Amino acid sequence: MAEAADIQGASPAPVRRRWLRRTIVLLAGTPVMAALVYSPAPEAQAVQATGVDVQLTSMTPAAPVKGDTLTISGTVVNTGSETINDAHVGLRVGPALADRSSIDEAAERNGFRAGADPGEIDPAYAVKIASLPSKVRHEFTLTVPVNKLELDKDGVYQLGVSLSGATESRPSEQVLGIKRTFLPWQPDAASKRSQITYAWPLISTTRVTAETGSDELQTPVFLDDSLADELKAGGRLEQMVSLGKDLPITWVIDPDLLYTVDAMTKGYRVRTPGGKPVQGKNKAVAEQWLSSLEAAVQGKKVVALPFADPDLASLAHHGKDVSGTLGQLRPATDKAKNAVQTVLHVPASTDFSWPVNGAIDPSIVNVATSAGAHNVLTRSDSLVESGALGYTPSAARPIGAGTTAVVADADLSTAFEGDMLNAGSATLAVQRFLAHSLALNLQKTDEQRSFVVAPQRTPTVSQVQTMAAAVRGLQAGRWTQPGDLEAAAAAKPDPGAATQVPGAGQYPEALRKQELPVSAFEKIRTTQNTLDHFKVILAAPDRVEIPFGNTTNREMSTSWRGRPEEARLYRDQAQEYLLGLTEKVKVIPKSDATLSGHSATIPVSVQNSLVQDVHNLVLQVKSGNPTRLMFGDSGQAEQQVTVQGDHTQTLKFPANATASGPVEVTAQLFTKDGVPYGKERRFTVEATEITPTVMLVIAGGVLLLVLAGIKMYASRKRVAARAAAEESTQPSDESPDTGPQSTEGSGTGETVDR
């Protein structure tokens, strides 16, 4: 108590007097003999602790001032097997807590502890319950003027709401259940107020695939349409915007979310199981959310994380040794600033990196700064203070090489990570948050300090609502004033603050188990190499370079933590889709051919099924046996290839046969850099050699055929002349041989025609 009074600036005497008064009240409201004689065994205390469940569903005002009336609502449930008689719900107010550790200790304590827990205030403010049967729930509301709480000096006071009563087996009144919370008491503005910066994260999971439409806008294809649920009224991201717009916060945004929602406003498609993507149906939802966000960020500080929020710890521990991996960070930072400016029309700082849970080690810091950021957002449970200062220093800490560690307070940052769906949990979380913020400001130091709150990346709807209630609780500004991340990073650091970055061995094992493995970064590199070879042949490389560049960033996203199978599938599908595109440019399979004579041309066709033209390709044909079949003066030949989109180009290669027999020919595309492109095609050419002797024989045969034809023609002409002469010497009505002669002539004519 003396320590508490000393820290709060009060003398010990008032504290002792207050305890004395409360002890008298307790004895007045409880049978004296029971209080003096009955001391339950530990087992009995455990039974009492579980006899009644007390929950506090609301407490208003969260931080009262003089003249206010404190209203606490909640429920009590009899969890025991006996009916509780002559029960009442009372309020207990303890002395101001000494420090922040005392707040945590009180919050974690379960069950009523005589001597440790204070007595009830005036019984006139208790709520009486004549009978509470087993398993029955009863609601209550305590209403107490603040001036009846006997709050002495500024500080954090422990409140206890308890149910006392008697049962058949325990006829004496006793405390059967209690719930503790905290009352921050700073009725007047402090002469020195802390700056509190609340980072408000707008981050979601990866939704966009590498696949795009063949239209001019390259309509993106989404993994699913679940983002719309977060954007709709009452959804997680909608609540982040609608609640955040009226709060003094710093917006921390993943630019990929902006691009994704912006793509929805322009039309998008969604994958279906085993089918063709279908048109997305939530364009209007995306437009409404984006419009609300644009209005909300006007005049506010905006920090843009590198595109797709890369997992810096995974990169540092598993990706940095895979060639090309770290080279993706700088472009991701460049995209960030452009995205915020283009979509929201406000400037954004890209000078911050944010490792998962603020956990750092030297390698993480090196990777974080390689993206161009000079400020690393860490947390006080990673960069830990020695305690020698006796107070919590400001967030900014220089850690060398021009880098500043912005150390978020761990207690404030993790205050809302639990299940906030329950009103009781949310109420307790808000009061504990406010208690810690006041305790920080009451610490002994003459310097004004700056503190940062960096909550979980993707809070649930109930967590968002509880966070907003806590920030509103600070808006009165009696012991804090709002700050922003840029100002917090630029604040004067405390010379005695810890600046030693923890070693790699101190990195939390639970976080390490969630990191992307080395194989993930190797797969990403394979995809990138495929892309590099592919884009050199394209007339419009941006059509693949931009979507696949974004996909590469998304493959490294923090959002894959805890979802290793989904992450692996995303990488595999990106690689498969890219390979499918590259295979749309290919040498068409060719059937075997026969080459008669010394020389001929062999046609080979290249097909381009892409929507854009391809160039910078070389088609090479190569003889498997140059001594038998040659192309030009050697065993191979090549030609430049340019093919329009959705067309086929046929190239002809002159070939020379020096001997008869089959020869295997290979046709292969290469890029201009000599890198093989696509599959090689093999076909057989049957070479047939034709000698001069054979040519003479053929020529002689042709000559004989010509002479035979001439002879036949002359014979026919003579027969026709003789028949005409005989016809002219016979009477006109005699023609006995006409039929046979005509038949012979006709037959001869048919023979010639064939």
Side-chain angles (χ1 to χ4, degrees), residues 398-416:
I399 55 176
T403 302
T404 299
V406 182
V407 185
D409 186 84
D411 283 322
L412 298 180
S413 298
T414 60
F416 310 108

Side-chain angles (χ1 to χ4, degrees), residues 212 225 287 384 438 499 635 750:
T212 62
D225 214 359
E287 290 174 337
V384 182
L438 177 55
T499 58
E750 289 175 359

Side-chain angles (χ1 to χ4, degrees), residues 484-517:
D484 63 76
L485 268 182
E486 288 186 283
K492 179 182 178 182
D494 192 310
T499 58
Q500 183 65 43
V501 175
Q506 296 175 264
Y507 188 81
E509 188 61 29
L511 292 180
R512 193 180 293 273
K513 290 179 179 178
Q514 292 185 335
E515 293 174 353
L516 295 170

Side-chain angles (χ1 to χ4, degrees), residues 45 82 96 113 174 180 201 247 271 289 331 363 400 469 476 500 509 522 575 628 645 648 660 710:
Q45 289 181 341
E82 295 182 297
R113 298 184 185 181
Q174 55 196 297
R180 297 176 184 82
L247 299 175
R271 269 186 187 165
W289 184 84
S363 65
Q500 183 65 43
E509 188 61 29
E522 291 174 342
Q575 173 71 357
R628 181 175 294 173
T648 299
S660 299
I710 294 172

Side-chain angles (χ1 to χ4, degrees), residues 321-360:
D321 294 328
V322 178
S323 62
T325 299
L326 295 186
Q328 302 294 333
L329 288 178
R330 175 68 73 169
T333 299
D334 295 339
K335 293 176 193 176
K337 185 181 288 289
N338 293 336
V340 175
Q341 184 65 53
T342 301
V343 179
L344 299 181
H345 308 104
V346 294
S349 169
T350 57
D351 206 19
F352 290 83
S353 60
W354 188 12
V356 173
N357 288 9
I360 59 172

Side-chain angles (χ1 to χ4, degrees), residues 203-414:
I203 300 172
S204 190
T205 56
T206 295
R207 293 319 204 294
V208 183
T209 71
E211 185 177 352
T212 62
S214 59
D215 55 302
E216 184 177 351
L217 294 177
Q218 290 187 268
T219 301
V221 177
F222 284 31
L223 290 169
D224 53 48
D225 214 359
S226 60
L227 181 59
D229 295 332
E230 297 189 51
L231 303 177
K232 290 177 180 176
R236 188 182 71 82
L237 290 172
E238 186 276 334
Q239 288 287 283
M240 291 291 295
V241 173
S242 62
L243 295 174
K245 65 182 177 64
D246 297 322
L247 299 175
I249 56 174
T250 294
W251 297 89
V252 179
I253 302 177
D254 175 8
D256 185 25
L257 176 61
L258 299 183
Y259 271 167
T260 300
V261 180
D262 187 54
M264 292 175 70
T265 68
K266 299 172 183 175
Y268 65 106
R269 295 187 299 161
V270 179
R271 269 186 187 165
T272 57
K276 185 177 181 181
V278 298
Q279 192 68 31
K281 299 179 180 179
N282 289 287
K283 178 180 178 182
V285 172
E287 290 174 337
Q288 175 60 45
W289 184 84
L290 209 54
S291 176
S292 298
L293 176 60
E294 184 176 354
V297 299
Q298 298 303 315
K300 301 286 185 67
K301 291 292 184 178
V302 177
V303 168
L305 299 173
F307 188 88
D309 186 20
D311 191 335
L312 301 174
S314 293
L315 285 161
H317 297 156
H318 303 293
K320 66 180 181 180
D321 294 328
V322 178
S323 62
T325 299
L326 295 186
Q328 302 294 333
L329 288 178
R330 175 68 73 169
T333 299
D334 295 339
K335 293 176 193 176
K337 185 181 288 289
N338 293 336
V340 175
Q341 184 65 53
T342 301
V343 179
L344 299 181
H345 308 104
V346 294
S349 169
T350 57
D351 206 19
F352 290 83
S353 60
W354 188 12
V356 173
N357 288 9
I360 59 172
D361 62 23
S363 65
I364 294 175
V365 171
N366 290 337
V367 167
T369 55
S370 70
H374 295 90
N375 303 304
V376 180
L377 189 55
T378 181
R379 211 164 67 182
S380 61
D381 52 356
S382 182
L383 206 161
V384 182
E385 287 298 315
S386 65
L389 286 175
Y391 60 86
T392 303
S394 287
R397 320 279 174 84
I399 55 176
T403 302
T404 299
V406 182
V407 185
D409 186 84
D411 283 322
L412 298 180
S413 298
T414 60

